[in-house]
Amino acid sequence: MFLSVLAATFCSQQDYCAVSTKTPDGLVMTLYGATTGWLAIGAGSSMSSSKMVIGYKNSTGGITLSARTSSAKREPTAVGSVQVVKTPATVQIPSWATLSFSFLSKQSDSGFTAFSDAYIWAMSPSAPTSLVDTNSAQLTVHSKRGSIQKIDFAADGPTAATGAAGGAILRLPSGFTYEQVVQIHAYMMIFAWVLMPLIGIYVARSLKHTGNGWFVMHIVIMVLGVFVVSLGAIALIYLYSDDKLIVPTVPHTYVGYAITGLAAIQMGLGLAAHWTYNPDRSSAPIIDRIHWWIGRVLSLGALANVALGILLYQESYPLPIAIPVAAGVALLIGIVFIVVGGLRKPKEEQDQESISKPYNKY
């Protein structure tokens, strides 16, 4: 007699678990989690290339299972229904799990298959509010998500290794979502790369008459306001992301790291230019000119990367109007600083700087 045996188990803390069981009818996948919203598992390495099954409660108190696919990081499209089956007796649902269901997975299924090299998972505390009796219910954005690595849900025998995933380093505070973390990241980067560099340039161009005070202000703005805030924004994503986006995977990430690295070089060039400044020089040294041009490249590149970040945000979440508005306001304030600072400088001072103090120019 063929008995049901556990094949593999994956759990992310006491939030979400996926268990595979070999039964006479085939491989049964069981999902359970600490939520009353929805649970999902997908076969694939990312949301944009995954075939998934998503389960949520329907109007009768039962479970609706939806087979879905997605070509990007947005709400997956329903492609069919999946039949709910009885949870095998060998699977013990813990008391903390408030939503659970099982379904039969076959390699020929059009939706999720347990015969995959990589998996992803997600969950939300918010249940669909319409079409809950169909496979096309509109879903809220996931609150937790991650990848499942080094696991074989179709393994032979009950001794298969437990799955492992790159879960978040820090647990989100109660009532806080990862979407809010991404929003904070966005506002920090807008502050650091849209507003602060323009104010820093204004200080270097227009406040030389304050003596060494301008340099102290410039350093505080560029080091603390730009570089340190940027590192903090990156750390937020790394510490709270299940996907470990610290590894470059999209243009926004690649450009962001390039800008951060170049900013570190730029700070060193700025210090070197300051320490080697000669008031009697007749032309700007090469190190000054490199510093000016890297500054311009950084400013333009950062603006472009903020735009890339906004586009990336839209792939996963509805875009709050406050984010592009904040970027526009920050840019406008920065431009005002540059324009007003240039207008207030006497022409003879500008002429003199262009001859004897070219370092004042950016």
Side-chain angles (χ1 to χ4, degrees), residues 171-359:
R171 193 181 183 91
L172 287 169
S174 178
F176 214 71
T177 67
Y178 183 70
E179 180 181 4
Q180 292 171 307
V181 171
V182 178
Q183 289 176 3
I184 293 173
H185 170 87
Y187 291 124
M188 290 176 70
M189 286 304 196
I190 288 170
F191 173 83
W193 283 108
V194 179
L195 179 61
M196 287 292 100
L198 296 179
I199 295 179
I201 291 173
Y202 161 78
V203 169
R205 283 173 56 91
S206 306
L207 300 184
K208 290 290 179 65
H209 61 277
T210 63
N212 285 331
W214 77 268
F215 184 71
V216 174
M217 285 188 285
H218 186 71
I219 287 293
V220 169
I221 290 170
M222 293 304 195
V223 174
L224 299 182
V226 177
F227 194 69
V228 173
V229 173
S230 296
L231 294 180
I234 294 172
L236 275 180
I237 296 297
Y238 178 61
L239 294 174
Y240 288 106
S241 172
D242 289 308
D243 289 343
K244 292 296 170 291
L245 296 181
I246 198 75
V247 179
T249 56
V250 292
H252 176 69
T253 317
Y254 283 107
V255 175
Y257 283 133
I259 287 174
T260 303
L262 193 57
I265 296 174
Q266 174 75 339
M267 288 188 295
L269 288 172
L271 290 173
H274 180 73
W275 290 332
T276 59
Y277 174 68
N278 179 5
D280 298 323
R281 65 192 183 185
S282 58
S283 62
I286 186 63
I287 192 171
D288 295 61
R289 297 183 182 277
I290 293 175
H291 184 65
W292 304 339
W293 279 104
I294 289 181
R296 292 165 182 155
V297 169
L298 281 173
S299 295
L300 293 176
L303 290 176
N305 205 38
V306 167
L308 288 174
I310 291 175
L311 293 175
L312 182 62
Y313 184 99
Q314 288 181 293
E315 292 185 5
S316 299
Y317 310 103
L319 179 66
I321 189 63
I323 290 180
V325 167
V329 170
L331 180 59
L332 179 61
I333 293 174
I335 291 175
V336 168
F337 266 93
I338 295 296
V339 172
V340 172
L343 292 176
R344 291 182 59 185
K345 294 179 68 173
K347 184 176 185 302
E348 60 270 22
E349 181 183 343
Q350 295 183 28
D351 293 340
Q352 180 62 26
E353 287 180 349
S354 66
I355 298 173
S356 61
K357 295 184 179 180
Y359 179 62

Side-chain angles (χ1 to χ4, degrees), residues 47-126:
M47 188 173 173
S48 60
S49 61
S50 178
K51 294 181 178 181
M52 61 197 76
V53 172
I54 302 175
Y56 42 86
K57 288 189 175 181
N58 54 37
S59 61
T60 66
I63 298 294
T64 297
L65 296 183
S66 175
R68 303 197 178 200
T69 61
S70 179
S71 59
K73 292 185 177 180
R74 52 176 56 93
E75 184 177 359
T77 302
V79 295
S81 297
V82 179
Q83 184 177 357
V84 178
V85 301
K86 184 179 179 180
T87 297
T90 50
V91 179
Q92 300 297 314
I93 306 297
S95 59
W96 53 263
T98 50
L99 178 63
S100 65
F101 53 82
S102 298
F103 60 92
L104 191 63
S105 174
K106 295 181 179 179
Q107 192 168 6
S108 60
D109 286 350
S110 60
F112 172 84
T113 172
F115 298 82
S116 177
D117 295 328
Y119 303 89
I120 58 173
W121 65 271
M123 62 187 295
S124 170
S126 302

Side-chain angles (χ1 to χ4, degrees), residues 14-16 31-40 55-57 63 96-101 122-127 140 143-144:
Q14 286 192 355
D15 291 323
Y16 175 101
L31 306 186
Y32 56 86
T35 182
T36 55
W38 57 261
L39 298 171
Y56 42 86
K57 288 189 175 181
I63 298 294
W96 53 263
T98 50
L99 178 63
S100 65
F101 53 82
M123 62 187 295
S124 170
S126 302
T140 55
S143 60
K144 296 179 181 179

